[in-house]
Structures are given as structure tokens and as C-alpha cells.
Amino acid sequence: MVYQDKKRNPPEQYPYSVIHCKFITTTTKMRSPLPMDFQVVVLAGGVSKNLVPLVSKDVPQALLPVANRPLISYVLELLEQSDLREIIVVVEGQDSVVRVGTWISKAFLDRLRVEVAAVPEDVGSAGAIRAIAHRLSASDILVVSGDLVCDVPPGAIASVHRRHDAAVTAMLCSTPVSAPADSGSSGGKDKVKKPSRCNVIGLDPTKQFLLHIAAGTEVEKDIRFQKSILRAVGQVEIRADLMDAHLYVFKRSVLMDLLEQKGSFQSLQQDVLPYLVRTQLRSEVLANTTSPAEENGNHKLSSQKNQVMLSQLLANASTPSFHGHHVIGSDESKHAPKRTHKCCVYIAAKSKYCARLNSIQSFSDINRDVSFLKQDLCCLDCRLFFLLHFIGLSQIDMDNIQVTGEASHLSGYSFSAQNNIIHPSAELGSKTTVGPNCILGEGSQMADKCSVKRSVIGPHCRIGSNVKIVNSVVMNHATIGDGCSIQGTVICSNAQLQERVTLKDCQVGAGFVVPAGSDYKGEPLAKKDKSQ
């Protein structure tokens, strides 16, 4: 194994400091991941403000524990399973990149070839790609968010992309069902009712092409469509039940040209993808295909040249799309053939699990999902069941309920006969019970008469007697005193709860001490940032 930590100066047009921490396996024979020219980029983030106080300089987002495993391990194993073994991981912040790079180098020794690059904080996903543009040389770039937990093979999205010769292909999946605020750990502020928000997505009748996307748009608002797209496609299917999973395949030349032209673009999801969708019938990002006649200002091309351009446009597509019909329908006698580019989608099957860990609520939800074994009625998605009952559907046909995909297999653990996971080195006191859908980590100790339900407890925790833990996540090396009651709460590493503490829907930051007898509901508890 060779481990390098050195500074490189990126090209002048990208004013970002990039550190590359490489670990290169020497004993594993590297196989080509796909019979195509692809590069893989994982955007691992840094210390996300949406996850404070769960994250810190010591525990960046990529290393947050999900079922006692770092978050980024789920994406890396997904790529490894698809034989995508040469990866660039982009991390925000100098402190975070060292910690993430060190962990990857140890966990994936002789398994992956990873280059870890650091970019400044808050540059956005588009800015992160700009920063490493000089490292990208393949014809197509697979970009995946490091907060994605799913079991959809990336190769399936790549195949769709190449089959249609698309400018971009995005993976869509069913929108996860989130727990109600008073049973999760979203904090007090999230309990105020907010307008329902979701992705509003427009698809063509074949469900292969993306015609419209508005992330976070209020459902009550009108949807505006371009007339050119409506005329070309004939009809549009509007969906509000799909989520942009932040897994994309881009044609490199298109992405690089667009990021250079649009210096203000910061987000792939909110800026780049919507722009490509809006302009797919009047493409401005395929300028390198400009013909000599167009460069000379001569827009009167012969019918033969039009047909040549059309055949090139459709050469790599399995069937002619509405993009081709749009070109055919253009007025050849007055205008040059219209440039188009394709924006494709891959819709994951409902049986697949797909969720993003980008909020405190989703942190709790995903931990619960991954430790939740769905085998019978009680193992259906209890959050969905509760929501249906909560809105008044007392008579529920369980055969027709659409639940999220199974996620327990993603943990990598084997469940016991009691549908839980208790590490062999963990110690349980007299009359202590660990219920189904729970995980108890290595070396943790629980005293007498404790009860744990639907929770994840990390390694090397110390839990006193008569403690009740429900729907919660307790990270490594936490200490919980006698008589504590914890519900819907996240307790970070090295935190200490003294005797008789009651917490509901709270987040306790790393190293924070909760005084004896305290009673908190819906509050973040963390040390003050001295830098503020």
C-alpha cells in the first residue's frame, strides 16, 4: 500500500486549494468497472449546517454512524459491488479531508483505489466539480452524493446514459416516508407545521426523459412548462412522488462547458440539472458541434446536411425520441437545425431502498430503516403504518400498502432470532432487554433493568440501571446514568447524561454533559462554538 498526502496546484481557472490523499492498492488486481470510459466522483460534503450538532470538525458528515458504520461506507461499498473501484472522493474542509481519507485508507485497503480531494467549505456541488475538473478526463462522469444510502446498482444508470447518448442521466427514486415530528429527533423548530414540499418532476410518456424538475417546490404553486417541450412531446406525466437521488451521469464535455459558462452555478441539483432540462431543445452546451456554415453565419443548410445531423443525433439512441421529432419539425428553409441534448432518467424500482442523509430527521430515519428487519406485519414500515392511522385510515388493507424497500441488508450484519444485533462483546445486566430492530455495539455495557426499543447503540457505551431508550441513536463512548429516559433522541459520541435525565426529541452534541435531573424536549444540547 502506498499512502501519499501532498498539495497540488489546480489550474488557475479553478481558484480552489486541493489536497490529494491517495491510497493505492498493490496486491489487488484492478478490474475495469464497466466496458466504458467512466470516472466516479463521490461528493462527501464536510460539516453540514443541517446536521449540527451531530457533526463537528472531529466527526464530519461522511463519518456519521449509520447502524454503527460511517455514512460514506455505504456509497463506497455500493460502488465496489458494481466493480467501480477507481474513485475520487471530494471532501469540504482541510480537517475533514484528513479524517475521511485516513478512515478510507484503513477500511478499504486492497479493495479500492481512491483519491481524496479537499475543497473549501460551502462551495456547493458544482463548485466541487470545478475544483477537480483538471482531474477529470473520461468521456462520462458518474457523480454520487456521499450522503446516499441505497442498493440501486450505479451500472444500471450508466447503461441508460450510454444507450441514449444523453447529456445527463439522473436517478429518481420513491420519496422516503418520514416519521412524524413528535416521534423522531428533528428538534423543536421542526414541529411547526410547514407547507408540504416535494420534487415536482415531469416525464415523457415513455418515462425515459426528464422534461421538468423543480426541487423543493410547493405543490400548491402553478407549474410552468415551456411550449416547445409540450409541442415536441405531446403529453407530460407530472410526478410528485419521486426524489432526485443526487446520483447523476454527465457527459464530461457538456458538464465542463456549462460550469465554465455559468460561473454562478453552485449546485448540480438546483442549478445545473434544471438548466440542462430547460434547454434540451435549444442546447447551448454543445457548441463544439457547431458546423463551419454556422460559424460563417450561413444558416441555410441543405436538406441533405439536415438529415446527416439528424442521423448523428439518433445514432446512439435505441429508439427515436421527441428530440428527433423536434429537429425534423424545424423550418429547414429559414433556420439551421436545432441543437438538442437529452436529459434521461432512471427510475429505481419501488422494491429498492434509497434515501439521503441530509437532515437530523433523515439521520434518525435511516438508522431506523437499516436496523429494521421487515419480515411480518410488525416489520412493515411502522412509520408509514403510523402515518396512515394518524390521518384517520382506521381500516387499512395491508396487502395494498406500498412500503419502502428493504434496508436491513445494507448494514452488513446478520440479525439474531430476536431480530436484533447484539455484538458478542456487549454485556447485559439482569432483567435488561434489547428488543427487535435494535443494534448494540461492540464493548457496550448495560446495567440491570434497562429497556431498549427500536434504537441503535454504538460501541463502548456505558449505560446505568433502570434506563429506557426508545427510537434513539446513541453514538460511541457515550455514558448514560441511572434512571434516564430517552425517546426520539440522538446522543453523540462521548456525551454524558447524569442520573435521572429525561430527553425527548433532542440532540446531544459530542462531549456535552447533561446535568442530573434535567428534563428537555425538542432541544439541541451542545457546547458553544468558541469561534462564534
Side-chain angles (χ1 to χ4, degrees):
M1 172 180 173
V2 180
Y3 188 91
Q4 297 176 317
D5 187 352
K6 61 182 181 180
K7 294 184 178 180
R8 292 175 186 251
N9 294 320
E12 294 181 358
Q13 63 265 36
Y14 302 117
Y16 302 112
S17 173
V18 182
I19 292 180
H20 296 281
C21 303
K22 294 184 178 180
F23 65 94
I24 303 171
T25 60
T26 56
T27 61
T28 301
K29 183 179 180 180
M30 304 303 297
R31 292 182 293 171
S32 176
L34 290 170
M36 314 179 208
D37 185 17
F38 274 95
Q39 278 182 285
V40 181
V41 178
V42 175
L43 300 178
V47 182
S48 171
K49 295 178 181 178
N50 294 334
L51 290 165
V52 173
L54 275 58
V55 295
S56 63
K57 291 182 179 179
D58 294 327
V59 184
Q61 181 178 4
L63 299 183
L64 270 180
V66 174
N68 293 339
R69 286 176 44 196
L71 172 60
I72 196 171
S73 69
Y74 289 86
V75 163
L76 294 179
E77 286 199 356
L78 179 69
L79 295 169
E80 182 185 27
Q81 290 166 8
S82 296
D83 284 339
L84 294 163
R85 299 175 183 269
E86 298 195 27
I87 304 166
I88 300 176
V89 175
V90 184
V91 183
E92 295 182 9
Q94 303 288 346
D95 293 332
S96 296
V97 75
V98 173
R99 288 177 170 81
V100 174
T102 300
W103 182 85
I104 293 176
S105 67
K106 294 178 179 178
F108 287 88
L109 174 65
D110 292 336
R111 293 168 60 184
L112 298 176
R113 180 187 179 98
V114 177
E115 182 175 354
V116 182
V119 297
E121 296 178 5
D122 301 323
V123 296
S125 52
I129 297 298
R130 284 193 189 95
I132 64 165
H134 59 293
R135 306 294 302 171
L136 304 178
S137 57
S139 60
D140 292 291
I141 310 298
L142 174 66
V143 181
V144 57
S145 178
D147 62 16
L148 183 65
V149 178
C150 80
D151 55 2
V152 181
I157 298 89
S159 296
V160 169
H161 180 80
R162 278 293 174 88
R163 184 167 69 248
H164 291 285
D165 190 30
V168 61
T169 300
M171 185 177 83
L172 306 178
C173 60
S174 298
T175 302
V177 178
S178 181
D182 59 358
S183 65
S185 57
S186 56
K189 294 183 180 180
D190 288 344
K191 297 192 178 209
V192 179
K193 291 185 178 180
K194 299 178 181 180
S196 176
R197 291 178 178 270
C198 63
N199 290 327
V200 177
I201 291 170
L203 303 173
D204 78 308
T206 67
K207 298 182 178 63
Q208 298 181 87
F209 299 101
L210 186 59
L211 310 179
H212 178 85
I213 184 165
T217 302
E218 293 184 17
V219 178
E220 291 82 2
K221 287 186 176 181
D222 294 335
I223 299 175
R224 295 186 178 183
F225 256 93
Q226 290 180 305
K227 291 182 180 180
S228 59
I229 291 181
L230 287 174
R231 283 195 299 263
V233 74
Q235 63 183 38
V236 178
E237 179 179 335
I238 302 297
R239 301 283 295 270
D241 61 337
L242 295 174
M243 177 186 78
D244 178 359
H246 210 291
L247 193 159
Y248 312 113
V249 182
F250 288 99
K251 185 174 291 186
R252 183 185 60 83
S253 59
V254 169
L255 181 59
M256 294 299 101
D257 288 348
L258 180 57
L259 292 179
E260 184 176 355
Q261 294 172 18
K262 306 292 182 179
S264 62
F265 281 6
Q266 294 184 330
S267 170
L268 296 177
Q269 185 179 50
Q270 298 179 15
D271 296 322
V272 173
L273 182 61
Y275 179 85
L276 289 173
V277 171
R278 287 195 308 269
T279 61
Q280 58 188 302
L281 295 185
R282 49 181 177 83
S283 180
E284 300 174 1
V285 293
L286 299 178
N288 56 343
T289 63
T290 302
S291 66
E294 288 180 273
E295 292 176 353
N296 295 331
N298 180 11
H299 298 306
K300 294 183 180 181
L301 301 181
S302 66
S303 176
Q304 181 179 2
K305 289 184 178 180
N306 283 351
Q307 293 301 321
V308 170
M309 178 181 177
L310 179 59
S311 63
Q312 292 175 344
L313 177 72
L314 301 178
N316 294 317
S318 57
T319 57
S321 68
F322 69 92
H323 304 79
H325 297 306
H326 180 69
V327 174
I328 294 173
S330 62
D331 188 343
E332 299 175 6
S333 62
K334 296 181 179 180
H335 303 284
K338 299 177 181 179
R339 292 196 196 96
T340 66
H341 60 255
K342 296 178 183 179
C343 300
C344 293
V345 294
Y346 177 91
I347 303 177
K350 291 183 179 179
S351 60
K352 294 293 185 179
Y353 183 82
C354 184
R356 290 188 63 194
L357 199 162
N358 52 12
S359 67
I360 292 176
Q361 183 63 62
S362 63
F363 173 81
S364 297
D365 290 343
I366 294 173
N367 266 282
R368 190 179 300 119
D369 290 341
V370 174
S371 60
F372 202 88
L373 188 62
K374 300 176 182 177
Q375 289 185 330
D376 49 30
L377 178 61
C378 69
C379 289
L380 285 169
D381 195 321
C382 59
R383 291 176 287 125
L384 177 58
F385 183 88
F386 179 84
L387 286 172
L388 291 172
H389 183 75
F390 182 76
I391 62 177
L393 296 179
S394 56
Q395 299 297 325
I396 301 174
D397 182 1
M398 297 306 299
D399 292 333
N400 292 324
I401 287 182
Q402 181 62 55
V403 298
T404 56
E406 174 71 54
S408 60
H409 64 284
L410 295 173
S411 69
Y413 305 125
S414 297
F415 283 76
S416 69
Q418 290 74 37
N419 291 343
N420 59 23
I421 301 166
I422 300 177
H423 195 276
S425 63
E427 298 180 11
L428 303 181
S430 175
K431 297 183 180 179
T432 288
T433 60
V434 178
N437 308 310
C438 291
I439 298 177
L440 183 59
E442 176 185 3
S444 287
Q445 298 177 0
M446 302 185 69
D448 299 340
K449 298 180 181 179
C450 294
S451 173
V452 181
K453 298 179 180 179
R454 299 181 298 279
S455 298
V456 177
I457 298 177
H460 308 295
C461 293
R462 299 292 180 264
I463 299 174
S465 60
N466 294 294
V467 173
K468 295 182 179 179
I469 303 175
V470 181
N471 290 335
S472 298
V473 178
V474 181
M475 298 186 196
N476 60 295
H477 293 91
T479 302
I480 301 175
D482 297 343
C484 290
S485 177
I486 302 163
Q487 181 177 351
T489 291
V490 179
I491 300 174
C492 294
S493 58
N494 297 297
Q496 181 180 352
L497 276 61
Q498 296 181 348
E499 295 81 4
R500 303 180 309 282
V501 169
T502 299
L503 300 178
K504 183 177 181 181
D505 302 328
C506 294
Q507 307 92 44
V508 182
F512 188 82
V513 178
V514 183
S518 299
D519 189 342
Y520 292 101
K521 183 177 180 180
E523 293 189 37
L525 307 171
K527 297 178 180 179
K528 292 184 179 180
D529 189 348
K530 296 181 180 180
S531 62
Q532 295 180 350

